[in-house]
Amino acid sequence: LPLELVAMMSAIDWNGSSPDQLVEALDKPINAIMQYLTQLELQGLVVSQNGRYFKCRNPQYVSLTT
């Protein structure tokens, strides 16, 4: 994963994180946060529910290369 996505995964709480919480935690603009979240969703690493993002406990696809 690119470093930005690794940082995003580290910032997402197991109890769920809102995009606003991630903006504050990572000091990135909301458009970048949403782009990272979309990439992580497409890779099966996070899921969205009720406006919060959660780490997948059993990811379907994980690539540690860029």
Side-chain angles (χ1 to χ4, degrees):
L1 290 173
L3 291 177
E4 296 86 6
L5 299 184
V6 172
M8 175 71 71
M9 286 296 294
S10 295
I12 296 173
D13 188 281
W14 282 106
N15 295 316
S17 299
S18 71
D20 289 335
Q21 289 172 316
L22 296 170
V23 165
E24 187 174 320
L26 296 170
D27 194 31
K28 298 280 185 187
I30 188 68
N31 62 325
I33 296 295
M34 296 310 295
Q35 178 183 356
Y36 300 157
L37 288 169
T38 300
Q39 290 176 26
L40 291 171
E41 275 190 291
L42 291 172
Q43 292 187 30
L45 298 174
V46 300
V47 294
S48 173
Q49 185 176 5
N50 298 324
R52 297 182 70 77
Y53 288 82
F54 300 84
K55 294 178 186 178
C56 290
R57 297 197 187 276
N58 297 311
Q60 300 294 317
Y61 171 75
V62 177
S63 173
L64 297 178
T65 61
T66 56

